[in-house]
């Protein structure tokens, strides 16, 4: 697409998203869309057609073939989507492109945008200005001014505790919040996540800040291409640096405290069991967004992504319960439903060249579309708290050329399958 037309389309997208967000912030909307309230708004009559025309229609979209299980009856979310993480097939969706407040699930885009910028071992001393502008009532990991943290520490704070303080410190390292927001919007455009407008990098409720179940799923799928993203997203618990103290003799010491992932399908809760095969990715909850969640799980060699936004049912952990029911349905329905759309690849991803070559897994030919084979995954390290990432690659096409661009022919497989391991 020529640059002027692309810029115009993005401008129109931003304008439309801003108008939608303003509608959500009207007095009537503010009174209703909280985590326990019934949504008062209705989805637009037509939405984006990215990924297929049916995904732009309001209501539930599913095409059951013979023997396919029916969808769960007790789903109350404003918007949700079930997709195959590797083929990109959308198995079912409900208001997939409805632009809604995303809450901290927007941190998936933040991480996917900034993770490649620094090595894990990079150290940063936190300045007072780094923590300026954090919204009232924000989730925090407990970062202290004048203390030094590694980038690894900060990302643990982002993924496990959804720490807005960690987001703001990393944004400061990236030359500020404004630049980070611009980087995130540019990356969203590259991923063809055109429902998304970023205003605050941490997902805090802001006028004009919107995303969709479809876009959040794109962010998760893109992030899962990165080893560090997969590791952080699947980490149940970790040690985080505390505050430096001095004893009576003036000797300084610095301890640690434990942080646990707030993703209840990964860590469990009193009324939610750890979901078999779960490997991340991110949850959120704000006044305007309600509860939001995107999860990835693997079963029998198939990897599914499920995003759920703002369940209306007033029940503790409802977003995880509805996600689990959609995962259960998706694993049973895979291969028995006709896709109603697809997760698109990045703009830079084009059809793989038939002449391109890639090594098959474990020395096999692994022939896929365009005559290429899958690239064998490299084993990832263990996450803290007994959760690791197992090596493995499923069928598909992924070619990395010298220029650094992924060339994909529809399928965009994960470099490594992410699997839950039994905790000791």
């Amino acid at each position: 697409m020529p640059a002027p037309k692309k810029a115009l389309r993005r401008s129109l997208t931003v304008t439309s998203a801003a108008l939608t967000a303003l509608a959500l912030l009207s007095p009537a909307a503010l009174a209703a869309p909280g985590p326990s309230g019934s949504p008062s708004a209705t989805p637009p009559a037509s939405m984006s057609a990215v990924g297929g025309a049916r995904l732009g229609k309001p209501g539930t979209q599913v095409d059951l073939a013979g023997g396919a299980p029916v969808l769960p009856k007790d789903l109350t979310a404003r918007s949700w989507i079930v997709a195959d993480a590797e083929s990109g097939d959308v198995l079912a969706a409900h208001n997939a492109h409805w632009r809604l407040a995303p809450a901290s699930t927007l941190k998936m885009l933040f991480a996917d945008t900034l993770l490649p910028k620094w090595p894990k071992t990079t150290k940063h001393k936190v300045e007072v200005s780094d923590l300026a502008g954090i919204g009232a009532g924000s989730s925090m990991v407990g970062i202290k001014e004048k203390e030094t943290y590694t980038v690894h520490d900060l990302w643990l704070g982002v993924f496990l505790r959804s720490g807005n303080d960690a987001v703001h410190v990393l944004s400061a390292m990236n030359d500020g919040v404004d630049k980070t927001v611009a980087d995130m919007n540019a990356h969203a455009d590259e991923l063809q996540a055109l429902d998304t407008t970023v205003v605050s990098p941490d997902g805090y409720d802001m006028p004009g800040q919107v995303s969709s179940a479809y876009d959040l799923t794109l962010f998760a799928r893109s992030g899962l291409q990165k080893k560090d993203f997969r590791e952080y997203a699947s980490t149940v618990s970790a040690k985080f640096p505390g505050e430096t103290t001095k004893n009576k003799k003036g000797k300084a010491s610095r301890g640690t405290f434990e942080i646990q992932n707030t993703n209840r399908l990964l860590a469990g809760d009193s009324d939610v069991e750890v979901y078999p095969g779960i490997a991340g990715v991110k949850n959120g909850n704000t006044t305007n967004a309600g509860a939001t969640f995107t999860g990835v799980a693997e079963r029998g060699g198939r990897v599914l992504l499920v995003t759920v936004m703002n369940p209306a049912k007033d029940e503790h952990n409802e977003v995880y319960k509805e996600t689990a029911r959609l995962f259960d349905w998706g694993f049973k329905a895979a291969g028995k439903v006709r896709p109603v759309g697809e997760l698109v690849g990045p703009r830079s991803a084009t059809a793989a060249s038939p002449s391109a070559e890639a090594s098959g897994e474990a020395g096999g030919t692994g022939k896929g579309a365009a005559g290429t084979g899958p690239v064998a995954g490299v084993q990832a390290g263990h996450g803290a708290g007994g959760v690791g990432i197992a090596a493995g690659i499923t069928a598909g096409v992924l070619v990395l050329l010298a220029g650094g661009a992924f060339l994909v022919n529809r399928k965009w497989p994960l470099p490594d399958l992410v699997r839950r391991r039994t905790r000791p």
Side-chain angles (χ1 to χ4, degrees):
M1 175 180 294
K5 290 185 179 180
K6 177 179 176 181
L8 176 60
R9 183 174 71 174
R10 182 64 185 174
S11 176
L12 291 172
T13 300
V14 171
T15 301
S16 177
L19 291 172
T20 301
L22 289 173
L24 289 174
L25 291 171
S26 66
L30 286 172
S36 60
S38 298
S40 60
T42 56
S46 65
M47 295 168 277
S48 169
V50 172
R54 289 190 64 175
L55 298 182
K57 296 179 180 180
T60 301
Q61 307 300 320
V62 66
D63 195 352
L64 302 177
V70 297
L71 284 164
K73 303 269 185 205
D74 50 352
L75 299 174
T76 67
R78 281 186 170 193
S79 176
W80 53 259
I81 190 170
V82 182
D84 187 300
E86 295 178 308
S87 72
D89 289 341
V90 176
L91 306 185
H94 180 76
N95 301 327
H97 280 293
W98 193 3
R99 293 167 177 163
L100 300 167
S104 287
T105 44
L106 193 64
K107 288 183 173 79
M108 294 186 294
L109 175 62
F110 173 78
D112 193 37
T113 304
L114 264 62
L115 262 172
K117 290 182 177 284
W118 312 282
K120 287 183 177 181
T121 54
T122 300
K123 294 182 178 180
H124 178 77
K125 185 176 181 180
V126 176
E127 302 296 334
V128 175
S129 59
D130 295 351
L131 300 175
I134 298 176
S138 289
S139 53
M140 310 279 267
V141 67
I143 289 172
K144 302 298 182 182
E145 299 165 358
K146 304 302 180 183
E147 294 285 5
T148 298
Y149 300 86
T150 64
V151 164
H152 177 68
D153 295 329
L154 296 172
W155 283 120
L156 286 172
V158 170
F159 277 86
L160 273 66
R161 296 302 304 171
S162 203
N164 288 6
D165 48 355
V167 169
H168 277 254
V169 172
L170 287 163
S171 296
M173 294 174 64
N174 190 49
D175 296 329
V177 167
D178 289 347
K179 181 179 183 300
T180 300
V181 167
D183 288 348
M184 290 172 67
N185 278 316
H187 190 48
D189 189 78
E190 157 63 15
L191 295 177
Q192 301 196 64
L194 302 182
D195 299 327
T196 298
T197 299
V198 181
V199 179
S200 178
D202 49 22
Y204 191 82
D205 285 338
M206 297 289 284
Q209 180 152 275
V210 288
S211 190
S212 67
Y214 184 87
D215 283 9
L216 294 175
T217 309
L218 291 183
F219 302 151
R221 192 184 187 211
S222 178
L224 289 167
Q225 304 295 312
K226 298 175 175 62
K227 177 183 174 181
D228 287 351
F229 188 105
R230 299 192 301 275
E231 180 181 339
Y232 291 128
S234 64
T235 298
V236 174
S237 62
K239 297 294 184 181
F240 194 81
E243 192 170 7
T244 301
T245 58
K246 291 184 179 181
N247 61 18
K248 293 180 180 179
K249 295 182 179 180
K251 184 178 180 180
S253 63
R254 190 181 187 189
T256 61
F257 58 92
E258 185 173 289
I259 57 175
Q260 189 173 56
N261 204 312
T262 54
N263 172 358
R264 300 308 182 195
L265 290 188
L266 186 71
D269 202 2
S270 58
D271 59 340
V272 176
E273 294 184 356
V274 173
Y275 191 83
I278 194 72
V281 286
K282 192 71 191 75
N283 57 312
N285 198 316
T286 65
T287 300
N288 293 336
T292 60
F293 179 66
T294 297
V296 62
E298 182 272 342
R299 184 181 300 173
R302 187 182 296 276
V303 184
L304 296 183
L305 283 162
V306 172
T307 295
V308 172
M309 301 186 76
N310 196 357
K313 190 174 182 179
D314 185 9
E315 187 171 325
H316 184 54
N317 287 327
E318 181 63 21
V319 72
Y320 304 107
K321 295 172 184 178
E322 295 195 14
T323 298
R325 290 195 286 272
L326 285 169
F327 268 130
D328 288 344
W329 175 85
F331 285 119
K332 293 176 183 177
K336 299 177 183 178
V337 295
R338 289 176 286 269
V340 294
E342 66 175 347
L343 301 177
V344 296
R347 294 187 187 279
S348 57
T350 58
S353 168
S355 61
E357 295 183 359
S359 58
E361 181 185 8
T365 57
K367 294 295 183 181
T372 60
V375 177
V378 179
Q379 183 161 347
H382 295 278
V387 178
I389 302 169
I393 185 75
T394 60
V397 180
L398 179 61
V399 180
L400 181 62
L401 298 185
F406 286 115
L407 294 187
V408 184
N409 189 342
R410 194 165 186 274
K411 287 197 173 185
W412 195 22
L414 302 180
D416 299 317
L417 284 179
V418 280
R419 297 188 179 95
R420 288 276 291 117
R421 289 183 176 177
T422 303
R423 278 180 270 170

